[in-house]
PDB file of all heavy atoms in Angstrom:
ATOM      1  N   TRP A  73     -26.562 -14.084 -66.870  1.00 91.00           N
ATOM      2  CA  TRP A  73     -25.454 -13.589 -66.052  1.00 91.00           C
ATOM      3  C   TRP A  73     -24.161 -13.587 -66.877  1.00 91.00           C
ATOM      4  O   TRP A  73     -23.718 -12.547 -67.308  1.00 91.00           O
ATOM      5  CB  TRP A  73     -25.337 -14.421 -64.764  1.00 91.00           C
ATOM      6  CG  TRP A  73     -24.280 -13.970 -63.818  1.00 91.00           C
ATOM      7  CD1 TRP A  73     -23.982 -12.676 -63.494  1.00 91.00           C
ATOM      8  CD2 TRP A  73     -23.392 -14.766 -63.068  1.00 91.00           C
ATOM      9  NE1 TRP A  73     -22.967 -12.642 -62.581  1.00 91.00           N
ATOM     10  CE2 TRP A  73     -22.574 -13.898 -62.291  1.00 91.00           C
ATOM     11  CE3 TRP A  73     -23.196 -16.158 -62.942  1.00 91.00           C
ATOM     12  CZ2 TRP A  73     -21.581 -14.369 -61.426  1.00 91.00           C
ATOM     13  CZ3 TRP A  73     -22.215 -16.614 -62.078  1.00 91.00           C
ATOM     14  CH2 TRP A  73     -21.423 -15.728 -61.335  1.00 91.00           C
ATOM     15  N   ILE A  74     -23.568 -14.752 -67.092  1.00 89.00           N
ATOM     16  CA  ILE A  74     -22.346 -14.788 -67.899  1.00 89.00           C
ATOM     17  C   ILE A  74     -22.650 -15.611 -69.145  1.00 89.00           C
ATOM     18  O   ILE A  74     -22.460 -16.823 -69.163  1.00 89.00           O
ATOM     19  CB  ILE A  74     -21.165 -15.434 -67.156  1.00 89.00           C
ATOM     20  CG1 ILE A  74     -21.121 -14.976 -65.703  1.00 89.00           C
ATOM     21  CG2 ILE A  74     -19.849 -15.106 -67.830  1.00 89.00           C
ATOM     22  CD1 ILE A  74     -20.003 -15.595 -64.915  1.00 89.00           C
ATOM     23  N   ASP A  75     -23.100 -14.944 -70.190  1.00 88.00           N
ATOM     24  CA  ASP A  75     -23.532 -15.683 -71.376  1.00 88.00           C
ATOM     25  C   ASP A  75     -22.391 -16.449 -72.036  1.00 88.00           C
ATOM     26  O   ASP A  75     -22.610 -17.528 -72.572  1.00 88.00           O
ATOM     27  CB  ASP A  75     -24.152 -14.715 -72.397  1.00 88.00           C
ATOM     28  CG  ASP A  75     -25.395 -14.075 -71.837  1.00 88.00           C
ATOM     29  OD1 ASP A  75     -25.942 -14.639 -70.873  1.00 88.00           O
ATOM     30  OD2 ASP A  75     -25.803 -13.015 -72.344  1.00 88.00           O
ATOM     31  N   VAL A  76     -21.182 -15.889 -72.005  1.00 86.00           N
ATOM     32  CA  VAL A  76     -20.091 -16.544 -72.730  1.00 86.00           C
ATOM     33  C   VAL A  76     -19.822 -17.946 -72.245  1.00 86.00           C
ATOM     34  O   VAL A  76     -19.290 -18.772 -72.990  1.00 86.00           O
ATOM     35  CB  VAL A  76     -18.775 -15.745 -72.703  1.00 86.00           C
ATOM     36  CG1 VAL A  76     -18.783 -14.675 -73.746  1.00 86.00           C
ATOM     37  CG2 VAL A  76     -18.490 -15.187 -71.333  1.00 86.00           C
ATOM     38  N   ILE A  77     -20.149 -18.240 -70.973  1.00 88.00           N
ATOM     39  CA  ILE A  77     -19.919 -19.599 -70.504  1.00 88.00           C
ATOM     40  C   ILE A  77     -21.237 -20.297 -70.156  1.00 88.00           C
ATOM     41  O   ILE A  77     -21.248 -21.281 -69.416  1.00 88.00           O
ATOM     42  CB  ILE A  77     -18.959 -19.637 -69.292  1.00 88.00           C
ATOM     43  CG1 ILE A  77     -19.479 -18.715 -68.196  1.00 88.00           C
ATOM     44  CG2 ILE A  77     -17.551 -19.265 -69.685  1.00 88.00           C
ATOM     45  CD1 ILE A  77     -18.780 -18.916 -66.887  1.00 88.00           C
ATOM     46  N   ILE A 141     -21.866 -22.367 -61.274  1.00 94.00           N
ATOM     47  CA  ILE A 141     -20.884 -21.303 -61.158  1.00 94.00           C
ATOM     48  C   ILE A 141     -21.309 -20.280 -60.119  1.00 94.00           C
ATOM     49  O   ILE A 141     -20.514 -19.788 -59.329  1.00 94.00           O
ATOM     50  CB  ILE A 141     -20.648 -20.652 -62.530  1.00 94.00           C
ATOM     51  CG1 ILE A 141     -20.085 -21.689 -63.496  1.00 94.00           C
ATOM     52  CG2 ILE A 141     -19.685 -19.485 -62.427  1.00 94.00           C
ATOM     53  CD1 ILE A 141     -18.882 -22.446 -62.981  1.00 94.00           C
ATOM     54  N   GLU A 148     -17.294 -19.361 -52.410  1.00 92.00           N
ATOM     55  CA  GLU A 148     -16.000 -18.760 -52.175  1.00 92.00           C
ATOM     56  C   GLU A 148     -16.106 -17.397 -51.499  1.00 92.00           C
ATOM     57  O   GLU A 148     -15.157 -16.950 -50.873  1.00 92.00           O
ATOM     58  CB  GLU A 148     -15.248 -18.580 -53.494  1.00 92.00           C
ATOM     59  CG  GLU A 148     -15.027 -19.852 -54.242  1.00 92.00           C
ATOM     60  CD  GLU A 148     -13.996 -20.722 -53.586  1.00 92.00           C
ATOM     61  OE1 GLU A 148     -12.811 -20.412 -53.687  1.00 92.00           O
ATOM     62  OE2 GLU A 148     -14.378 -21.701 -52.931  1.00 92.00           O
ATOM     63  N   PHE A 156     -10.433 -13.069 -42.617  1.00 92.00           N
ATOM     64  CA  PHE A 156     -10.093 -11.862 -41.876  1.00 92.00           C
ATOM     65  C   PHE A 156     -10.680 -11.904 -40.470  1.00 92.00           C
ATOM     66  O   PHE A 156     -10.077 -11.395 -39.524  1.00 92.00           O
ATOM     67  CB  PHE A 156     -10.576 -10.613 -42.621  1.00 92.00           C
ATOM     68  CG  PHE A 156      -9.679 -10.292 -43.770  1.00 92.00           C
ATOM     69  CD1 PHE A 156     -10.144 -10.318 -45.058  1.00 92.00           C
ATOM     70  CD2 PHE A 156      -8.349  -9.980 -43.539  1.00 92.00           C
ATOM     71  CE1 PHE A 156      -9.310 -10.038 -46.116  1.00 92.00           C
ATOM     72  CE2 PHE A 156      -7.503  -9.704 -44.595  1.00 92.00           C
ATOM     73  CZ  PHE A 156      -7.982  -9.727 -45.888  1.00 92.00           C
ATOM     74  N   ALA A 159      -8.206 -13.894 -38.710  1.00 91.00           N
ATOM     75  CA  ALA A 159      -6.864 -13.310 -38.701  1.00 91.00           C
ATOM     76  C   ALA A 159      -6.794 -12.047 -37.854  1.00 91.00           C
ATOM     77  O   ALA A 159      -5.777 -11.781 -37.228  1.00 91.00           O
ATOM     78  CB  ALA A 159      -6.423 -12.999 -40.127  1.00 91.00           C
ATOM     79  N   ARG A 166      -3.443 -16.742 -34.380  1.00 89.00           N
ATOM     80  CA  ARG A 166      -4.448 -16.490 -35.410  1.00 89.00           C
ATOM     81  C   ARG A 166      -3.905 -16.516 -36.822  1.00 89.00           C
ATOM     82  O   ARG A 166      -4.591 -16.921 -37.746  1.00 89.00           O
ATOM     83  CB  ARG A 166      -5.151 -15.190 -35.119  1.00 89.00           C
ATOM     84  CG  ARG A 166      -4.222 -14.003 -34.996  1.00 89.00           C
ATOM     85  CD  ARG A 166      -5.027 -12.779 -34.595  1.00 89.00           C
ATOM     86  NE  ARG A 166      -4.213 -11.584 -34.615  1.00 89.00           N
ATOM     87  CZ  ARG A 166      -3.530 -11.141 -33.570  1.00 89.00           C
ATOM     88  NH1 ARG A 166      -3.574 -11.794 -32.431  1.00 89.00           N
ATOM     89  NH2 ARG A 166      -2.809 -10.032 -33.662  1.00 89.00           N
ATOM     90  N   ARG A 167      -2.628 -16.080 -36.978  1.00 88.00           N
ATOM     91  CA  ARG A 167      -2.134 -16.027 -38.366  1.00 88.00           C
ATOM     92  C   ARG A 167      -2.024 -17.414 -38.968  1.00 88.00           C
ATOM     93  O   ARG A 167      -2.431 -17.647 -40.096  1.00 88.00           O
ATOM     94  CB  ARG A 167      -0.780 -15.330 -38.396  1.00 88.00           C
ATOM     95  CG  ARG A 167      -0.940 -13.853 -38.695  1.00 88.00           C
ATOM     96  CD  ARG A 167       0.390 -13.193 -38.900  1.00 88.00           C
ATOM     97  NE  ARG A 167       1.101 -13.725 -40.045  1.00 88.00           N
ATOM     98  CZ  ARG A 167       2.333 -13.329 -40.356  1.00 88.00           C
ATOM     99  NH1 ARG A 167       2.951 -12.462 -39.603  1.00 88.00           N
ATOM    100  NH2 ARG A 167       2.938 -13.845 -41.413  1.00 88.00           N
ATOM    101  N   LEU A 175      -6.070 -21.868 -47.001  1.00 92.00           N
ATOM    102  CA  LEU A 175      -5.412 -22.745 -47.968  1.00 92.00           C
ATOM    103  C   LEU A 175      -6.172 -24.057 -48.138  1.00 92.00           C
ATOM    104  O   LEU A 175      -6.379 -24.531 -49.248  1.00 92.00           O
ATOM    105  CB  LEU A 175      -3.977 -23.032 -47.533  1.00 92.00           C
ATOM    106  CG  LEU A 175      -3.008 -21.867 -47.660  1.00 92.00           C
ATOM    107  CD1 LEU A 175      -1.643 -22.258 -47.146  1.00 92.00           C
ATOM    108  CD2 LEU A 175      -2.905 -21.408 -49.104  1.00 92.00           C
ATOM    109  N   LEU A 186     -12.808 -27.908 -60.966  1.00 92.00           N
ATOM    110  CA  LEU A 186     -12.439 -28.778 -62.086  1.00 92.00           C
ATOM    111  C   LEU A 186     -13.564 -29.794 -62.328  1.00 92.00           C
ATOM    112  O   LEU A 186     -13.924 -30.072 -63.464  1.00 92.00           O
ATOM    113  CB  LEU A 186     -11.132 -29.521 -61.786  1.00 92.00           C
ATOM    114  CG  LEU A 186      -9.850 -28.691 -61.795  1.00 92.00           C
ATOM    115  CD1 LEU A 186      -8.659 -29.577 -61.477  1.00 92.00           C
ATOM    116  CD2 LEU A 186      -9.658 -28.035 -63.149  1.00 92.00           C
ATOM    117  N   LEU A 189     -16.443 -28.260 -64.100  1.00 92.00           N
ATOM    118  CA  LEU A 189     -16.180 -28.066 -65.518  1.00 92.00           C
ATOM    119  C   LEU A 189     -16.292 -29.385 -66.267  1.00 92.00           C
ATOM    120  O   LEU A 189     -16.799 -29.422 -67.396  1.00 92.00           O
ATOM    121  CB  LEU A 189     -14.786 -27.460 -65.710  1.00 92.00           C
ATOM    122  CG  LEU A 189     -14.747 -25.977 -65.380  1.00 92.00           C
ATOM    123  CD1 LEU A 189     -13.333 -25.473 -65.362  1.00 92.00           C
ATOM    124  CD2 LEU A 189     -15.553 -25.205 -66.427  1.00 92.00           C
ATOM    125  N   PHE A 193     -18.750 -30.164 -69.516  1.00 89.00           N
ATOM    126  CA  PHE A 193     -18.401 -30.642 -70.845  1.00 89.00           C
ATOM    127  C   PHE A 193     -18.954 -32.022 -71.149  1.00 89.00           C
ATOM    128  O   PHE A 193     -19.231 -32.351 -72.297  1.00 89.00           O
ATOM    129  CB  PHE A 193     -16.880 -30.654 -71.033  1.00 89.00           C
ATOM    130  CG  PHE A 193     -16.313 -29.295 -71.229  1.00 89.00           C
ATOM    131  CD1 PHE A 193     -15.487 -28.732 -70.291  1.00 89.00           C
ATOM    132  CD2 PHE A 193     -16.632 -28.570 -72.366  1.00 89.00           C
ATOM    133  CE1 PHE A 193     -14.972 -27.457 -70.471  1.00 89.00           C
ATOM    134  CE2 PHE A 193     -16.133 -27.300 -72.549  1.00 89.00           C
ATOM    135  CZ  PHE A 193     -15.296 -26.740 -71.600  1.00 89.00           C
ATOM    136  N   LEU A 194     -19.107 -32.851 -70.118  1.00 89.00           N
ATOM    137  CA  LEU A 194     -19.449 -34.249 -70.392  1.00 89.00           C
ATOM    138  C   LEU A 194     -20.944 -34.508 -70.399  1.00 89.00           C
ATOM    139  O   LEU A 194     -21.385 -35.516 -70.946  1.00 89.00           O
ATOM    140  CB  LEU A 194     -18.784 -35.151 -69.354  1.00 89.00           C
ATOM    141  CG  LEU A 194     -17.252 -35.193 -69.463  1.00 89.00           C
ATOM    142  CD1 LEU A 194     -16.653 -35.989 -68.325  1.00 89.00           C
ATOM    143  CD2 LEU A 194     -16.838 -35.771 -70.801  1.00 89.00           C
TER     144      LEU A 194
ATOM    145  N   THR B 394      -5.792  -5.404 -50.567  1.00 94.00           N
ATOM    146  CA  THR B 394      -6.343  -6.736 -50.352  1.00 94.00           C
ATOM    147  C   THR B 394      -7.191  -7.155 -51.549  1.00 94.00           C
ATOM    148  O   THR B 394      -7.107  -8.297 -52.005  1.00 94.00           O
ATOM    149  CB  THR B 394      -7.219  -6.735 -49.082  1.00 94.00           C
ATOM    150  OG1 THR B 394      -6.465  -6.169 -48.026  1.00 94.00           O
ATOM    151  CG2 THR B 394      -7.635  -8.127 -48.721  1.00 94.00           C
ATOM    152  N   PRO B 404     -13.137 -15.538 -55.855  1.00 87.00           N
ATOM    153  CA  PRO B 404     -14.372 -14.858 -56.191  1.00 87.00           C
ATOM    154  C   PRO B 404     -14.816 -14.005 -55.014  1.00 87.00           C
ATOM    155  O   PRO B 404     -14.523 -14.373 -53.880  1.00 87.00           O
ATOM    156  CB  PRO B 404     -15.365 -15.997 -56.434  1.00 87.00           C
ATOM    157  CG  PRO B 404     -14.552 -17.220 -56.534  1.00 87.00           C
ATOM    158  CD  PRO B 404     -13.282 -16.974 -55.796  1.00 87.00           C
ATOM    159  N   PHE B 413     -10.833 -19.012 -64.310  1.00 93.00           N
ATOM    160  CA  PHE B 413     -11.900 -19.917 -64.702  1.00 93.00           C
ATOM    161  C   PHE B 413     -11.879 -20.168 -66.213  1.00 93.00           C
ATOM    162  O   PHE B 413     -11.972 -21.305 -66.669  1.00 93.00           O
ATOM    163  CB  PHE B 413     -13.248 -19.326 -64.286  1.00 93.00           C
ATOM    164  CG  PHE B 413     -14.417 -20.153 -64.685  1.00 93.00           C
ATOM    165  CD1 PHE B 413     -14.833 -21.199 -63.895  1.00 93.00           C
ATOM    166  CD2 PHE B 413     -15.088 -19.914 -65.866  1.00 93.00           C
ATOM    167  CE1 PHE B 413     -15.897 -21.976 -64.261  1.00 93.00           C
ATOM    168  CE2 PHE B 413     -16.166 -20.689 -66.252  1.00 93.00           C
ATOM    169  CZ  PHE B 413     -16.569 -21.723 -65.441  1.00 93.00           C
ATOM    170  N   VAL B 416      -9.057 -22.499 -67.114  1.00 93.00           N
ATOM    171  CA  VAL B 416      -9.305 -23.907 -66.802  1.00 93.00           C
ATOM    172  C   VAL B 416     -10.371 -24.471 -67.741  1.00 93.00           C
ATOM    173  O   VAL B 416     -10.283 -25.607 -68.208  1.00 93.00           O
ATOM    174  CB  VAL B 416      -9.716 -24.063 -65.319  1.00 93.00           C
ATOM    175  CG1 VAL B 416     -10.010 -25.496 -64.996  1.00 93.00           C
ATOM    176  CG2 VAL B 416      -8.619 -23.551 -64.426  1.00 93.00           C
ATOM    177  N   LEU B 417     -11.369 -23.637 -68.036  1.00 92.00           N
ATOM    178  CA  LEU B 417     -12.405 -24.069 -68.978  1.00 92.00           C
ATOM    179  C   LEU B 417     -11.789 -24.466 -70.317  1.00 92.00           C
ATOM    180  O   LEU B 417     -12.102 -25.521 -70.889  1.00 92.00           O
ATOM    181  CB  LEU B 417     -13.389 -22.912 -69.173  1.00 92.00           C
ATOM    182  CG  LEU B 417     -14.614 -23.184 -70.029  1.00 92.00           C
ATOM    183  CD1 LEU B 417     -15.746 -23.636 -69.134  1.00 92.00           C
ATOM    184  CD2 LEU B 417     -15.043 -21.968 -70.820  1.00 92.00           C
ATOM    185  N   SER B 421     -11.728 -28.283 -71.881  1.00 88.00           N
ATOM    186  CA  SER B 421     -12.684 -28.464 -72.977  1.00 88.00           C
ATOM    187  C   SER B 421     -12.303 -29.548 -74.000  1.00 88.00           C
ATOM    188  O   SER B 421     -13.192 -30.262 -74.455  1.00 88.00           O
ATOM    189  CB  SER B 421     -12.983 -27.124 -73.650  1.00 88.00           C
ATOM    190  OG  SER B 421     -12.026 -26.840 -74.612  1.00 88.00           O
ATOM    191  N   GLN B 423     -10.890 -32.275 -73.410  1.00 86.00           N
ATOM    192  CA  GLN B 423     -10.955 -33.552 -72.701  1.00 86.00           C
ATOM    193  C   GLN B 423      -9.812 -34.490 -73.037  1.00 86.00           C
ATOM    194  O   GLN B 423     -10.010 -35.688 -73.239  1.00 86.00           O
ATOM    195  CB  GLN B 423     -12.299 -34.236 -72.966  1.00 86.00           C
ATOM    196  CG  GLN B 423     -13.461 -33.438 -72.435  1.00 86.00           C
ATOM    197  CD  GLN B 423     -14.756 -33.788 -73.116  1.00 86.00           C
ATOM    198  OE1 GLN B 423     -14.957 -34.919 -73.477  1.00 86.00           O
ATOM    199  NE2 GLN B 423     -15.622 -32.816 -73.279  1.00 86.00           N
ATOM    200  N   VAL B 439      -3.454 -22.507 -55.310  1.00 92.00           N
ATOM    201  CA  VAL B 439      -3.383 -22.670 -53.849  1.00 92.00           C
ATOM    202  C   VAL B 439      -2.034 -22.185 -53.320  1.00 92.00           C
ATOM    203  O   VAL B 439      -1.965 -21.465 -52.325  1.00 92.00           O
ATOM    204  CB  VAL B 439      -3.613 -24.145 -53.463  1.00 92.00           C
ATOM    205  CG1 VAL B 439      -3.567 -24.305 -51.963  1.00 92.00           C
ATOM    206  CG2 VAL B 439      -4.939 -24.621 -54.003  1.00 92.00           C
ATOM    207  N   SER B 450      -2.287 -10.606 -44.383  1.00 88.00           N
ATOM    208  CA  SER B 450      -2.293 -10.676 -42.924  1.00 88.00           C
ATOM    209  C   SER B 450      -1.249  -9.741 -42.324  1.00 88.00           C
ATOM    210  O   SER B 450      -1.423  -9.271 -41.210  1.00 88.00           O
ATOM    211  CB  SER B 450      -2.126 -12.120 -42.440  1.00 88.00           C
ATOM    212  OG  SER B 450      -0.839 -12.568 -42.674  1.00 88.00           O
ATOM    213  N   TRP B 453      -3.248  -6.526 -42.111  1.00 89.00           N
ATOM    214  CA  TRP B 453      -4.424  -6.502 -41.242  1.00 89.00           C
ATOM    215  C   TRP B 453      -4.095  -6.911 -39.806  1.00 89.00           C
ATOM    216  O   TRP B 453      -4.674  -6.384 -38.880  1.00 89.00           O
ATOM    217  CB  TRP B 453      -5.498  -7.442 -41.790  1.00 89.00           C
ATOM    218  CG  TRP B 453      -6.181  -6.935 -43.000  1.00 89.00           C
ATOM    219  CD1 TRP B 453      -5.610  -6.707 -44.211  1.00 89.00           C
ATOM    220  CD2 TRP B 453      -7.551  -6.570 -43.132  1.00 89.00           C
ATOM    221  NE1 TRP B 453      -6.544  -6.240 -45.086  1.00 89.00           N
ATOM    222  CE2 TRP B 453      -7.756  -6.161 -44.463  1.00 89.00           C
ATOM    223  CE3 TRP B 453      -8.638  -6.574 -42.266  1.00 89.00           C
ATOM    224  CZ2 TRP B 453      -8.989  -5.732 -44.942  1.00 89.00           C
ATOM    225  CZ3 TRP B 453      -9.873  -6.169 -42.748  1.00 89.00           C
ATOM    226  CH2 TRP B 453     -10.040  -5.743 -44.072  1.00 89.00           C
ATOM    227  N   VAL B 454      -3.212  -7.901 -39.658  1.00 86.00           N
ATOM    228  CA  VAL B 454      -3.032  -8.505 -38.344  1.00 86.00           C
ATOM    229  C   VAL B 454      -1.947  -7.816 -37.538  1.00 86.00           C
ATOM    230  O   VAL B 454      -2.139  -7.484 -36.379  1.00 86.00           O
ATOM    231  CB  VAL B 454      -2.712 -10.003 -38.488  1.00 86.00           C
ATOM    232  CG1 VAL B 454      -2.553 -10.622 -37.124  1.00 86.00           C
ATOM    233  CG2 VAL B 454      -3.801 -10.693 -39.293  1.00 86.00           C
ATOM    234  N   GLU B 455      -0.797  -7.592 -38.200  1.00 83.00           N
ATOM    235  CA  GLU B 455       0.352  -7.073 -37.449  1.00 83.00           C
ATOM    236  C   GLU B 455       0.132  -5.608 -37.079  1.00 83.00           C
ATOM    237  O   GLU B 455      -0.625  -4.891 -37.731  1.00 83.00           O
ATOM    238  CB  GLU B 455       1.611  -7.172 -38.330  1.00 83.00           C
ATOM    239  CG  GLU B 455       1.889  -8.544 -38.847  1.00 83.00           C
ATOM    240  CD  GLU B 455       2.620  -9.412 -37.844  1.00 83.00           C
ATOM    241  OE1 GLU B 455       3.487  -8.878 -37.141  1.00 83.00           O
ATOM    242  OE2 GLU B 455       2.313 -10.613 -37.766  1.00 83.00           O
ATOM    243  N   ILE B 491     -17.853  -9.597 -60.669  1.00 90.00           N
ATOM    244  CA  ILE B 491     -19.266  -9.779 -60.350  1.00 90.00           C
ATOM    245  C   ILE B 491     -20.087  -9.936 -61.623  1.00 90.00           C
ATOM    246  O   ILE B 491     -21.031 -10.719 -61.677  1.00 90.00           O
ATOM    247  CB  ILE B 491     -19.752  -8.608 -59.476  1.00 90.00           C
ATOM    248  CG1 ILE B 491     -19.017  -8.631 -58.135  1.00 90.00           C
ATOM    249  CG2 ILE B 491     -21.255  -8.682 -59.253  1.00 90.00           C
ATOM    250  CD1 ILE B 491     -19.116  -7.372 -57.349  1.00 90.00           C
ATOM    251  N   PRO B 493     -18.949 -10.800 -65.022  1.00 88.00           N
ATOM    252  CA  PRO B 493     -17.878 -11.125 -65.989  1.00 88.00           C
ATOM    253  C   PRO B 493     -18.330 -10.977 -67.441  1.00 88.00           C
ATOM    254  O   PRO B 493     -17.497 -10.859 -68.329  1.00 88.00           O
ATOM    255  CB  PRO B 493     -17.554 -12.589 -65.682  1.00 88.00           C
ATOM    256  CG  PRO B 493     -18.123 -12.846 -64.336  1.00 88.00           C
ATOM    257  CD  PRO B 493     -19.288 -11.939 -64.183  1.00 88.00           C
ATOM    258  N   GLN B 494     -19.641 -10.958 -67.629  1.00 86.00           N
ATOM    259  CA  GLN B 494     -20.122 -10.827 -68.992  1.00 86.00           C
ATOM    260  C   GLN B 494     -19.584  -9.546 -69.639  1.00 86.00           C
ATOM    261  O   GLN B 494     -19.370  -9.492 -70.840  1.00 86.00           O
ATOM    262  CB  GLN B 494     -21.655 -10.836 -68.993  1.00 86.00           C
ATOM    263  CG  GLN B 494     -22.293 -10.756 -70.352  1.00 86.00           C
ATOM    264  CD  GLN B 494     -21.908 -11.909 -71.238  1.00 86.00           C
ATOM    265  OE1 GLN B 494     -21.583 -12.984 -70.764  1.00 86.00           O
ATOM    266  NE2 GLN B 494     -21.894 -11.690 -72.532  1.00 86.00           N
ATOM    267  N   GLY B 497     -16.276 -10.565 -70.746  1.00 80.00           N
ATOM    268  CA  GLY B 497     -16.415 -11.754 -71.589  1.00 80.00           C
ATOM    269  C   GLY B 497     -17.008 -11.453 -72.947  1.00 80.00           C
ATOM    270  O   GLY B 497     -16.657 -12.036 -73.969  1.00 80.00           O
TER     271      GLY B 497
END
Side-chain angles (χ1 to χ4, degrees):
Chain A
W73 183 41
I74 318 179
D75 297 340
V76 278
I77 54 167
I141 298 308
E148 301 288 285
F156 283 116
R166 56 185 187 270
R167 266 187 63 184
L175 288 178
L186 289 180
L189 283 171
F193 285 113
L194 293 174
Chain B
T394 309
F413 178 84
V416 179
L417 185 93
S421 85
Q423 297 158 34
V439 181
S450 71
W453 287 64
V454 181
E455 305 277 322
I491 296 165
Q494 182 60 27

